[in-house]
């Protein structure tokens, strides 16, 4: 795991200066971090919050992205988060028929904000040779699950070691 001391001096000083030069920023970030850590249920939440905060300090994410990711870490069941962190993204992002696609009960990452969920648009097209088959062809309507931008950042920063 990269530690703050391992960040190049110039980058570390720039980040620290941006916080040090603003009394308002110091109070805002310090208070918010205390509030976030106070809401953690266990040491794993605090560990992940700390790793994600390091991502903010290393300028990998914005302050707003840190807050959004911290909220997800606080609200998601640790087993579901570790499931996500340990999986290849191609196994999570899917396009499938509605019968094959997982629902909210079997795929809780959708509710957490890590994944998005939707349907491809349905189109009806006329069949050219409708005397042999159906007059119309229905295309689309598949379920699509994708990793949100904050989900990708969580995955990048919270590597399972």
């Amino acid at each position: 795991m990269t530690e703050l001391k391992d960040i190049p001096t110039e980058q570390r000083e720039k980040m620290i200066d941006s916080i040090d030069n603003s009394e308002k920023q110091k109070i805002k970030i310090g208070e918010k971090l205390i509030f976030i850590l106070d809401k953690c249920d266990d040491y794993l939440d605090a560990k992940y919050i700390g790793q994600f905060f390091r991502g903010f300090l290393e300028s990998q994410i914005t302050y707003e992205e840190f807050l959004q990711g911290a909220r997800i870490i606080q609200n998601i069941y640790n087993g579901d988060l570790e499931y996500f962190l340990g999986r290849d993204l191609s196994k999570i992002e899917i396009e499938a028929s509605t019968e094959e696609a997982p629902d909210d009960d079997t795929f809780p990452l959708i509710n957490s904000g890590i994944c998005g969920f939707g349907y491809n648009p349905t189109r009806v097209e006329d069949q050219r040779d409708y005397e042999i088959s159906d007059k119309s062809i229905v295309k689309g309507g598949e379920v699509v699950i994708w990793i949100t931008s904050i989900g990708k950042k969580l995955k990048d920063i919270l590597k399972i070691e």
Side-chain angles (χ1 to χ4, degrees):
M1 174 180 358
T2 305
E3 298 201 13
L4 191 57
K5 65 181 172 78
D6 297 330
I7 300 171
T9 304
E10 183 178 309
Q11 182 183 359
R12 187 174 62 230
E13 287 175 358
K14 181 180 175 187
M15 175 267 310
I16 291 170
D17 287 345
S18 71
I19 295 171
D20 276 347
N21 292 334
S22 170
E23 191 66 30
K24 186 177 177 182
Q25 189 78 343
K26 278 190 255 185
I27 293 170
K28 176 181 148 185
I29 291 174
E31 284 180 346
K32 194 65 172 178
L33 189 56
I34 289 170
F35 291 142
I36 289 169
L37 290 172
D38 188 47
K39 291 182 181 180
C40 290
D41 290 336
D42 59 35
Y43 77 95
L44 281 175
D45 290 348
K47 172 189 162 191
Y48 288 136
I49 296 286
Q51 282 181 268
F52 208 59
F53 188 69
R54 185 186 74 230
F56 162 67
L57 294 176
E58 293 174 352
S59 301
Q60 294 174 309
I61 55 173
T62 65
Y63 180 67
E64 288 74 25
E65 289 168 330
F66 165 70
L67 295 178
Q68 187 179 13
R71 177 70 50 130
I72 289 171
I73 294 167
Q74 289 171 332
N75 293 329
I76 192 170
Y77 168 64
N78 284 331
D80 294 335
L81 180 58
E82 289 177 349
Y83 168 83
F84 170 71
L85 296 174
R87 291 285 181 268
D88 180 1
L89 292 183
S90 66
K91 301 216 185 290
I92 295 173
E93 293 185 303
I94 64 166
E95 184 172 321
S97 71
T98 54
E99 294 83 25
E100 298 171 308
D103 58 27
D104 290 351
D105 292 332
T106 58
F107 206 57
L109 301 177
I110 296 167
N111 288 334
S112 70
I114 289 175
C115 292
F117 175 83
Y119 296 93
N120 281 333
T122 304
R123 299 180 320 275
V124 178
E125 298 175 2
D126 289 335
Q127 179 74 281
R128 290 185 182 167
D129 191 9
Y130 66 87
E131 291 178 4
I132 297 174
S133 62
D134 294 332
K135 184 175 181 176
S136 300
I137 299 173
V138 178
K139 293 184 178 180
E142 299 87 8
V143 171
V144 179
I145 297 174
W146 66 92
I147 310 300
T148 61
S149 62
I150 194 67
K152 288 177 183 175
K153 290 179 182 187
L154 283 164
K155 178 95 168 140
D156 289 343
I157 295 171
L158 303 180
K159 296 179 174 51
I160 292 184
E161 300 165 1

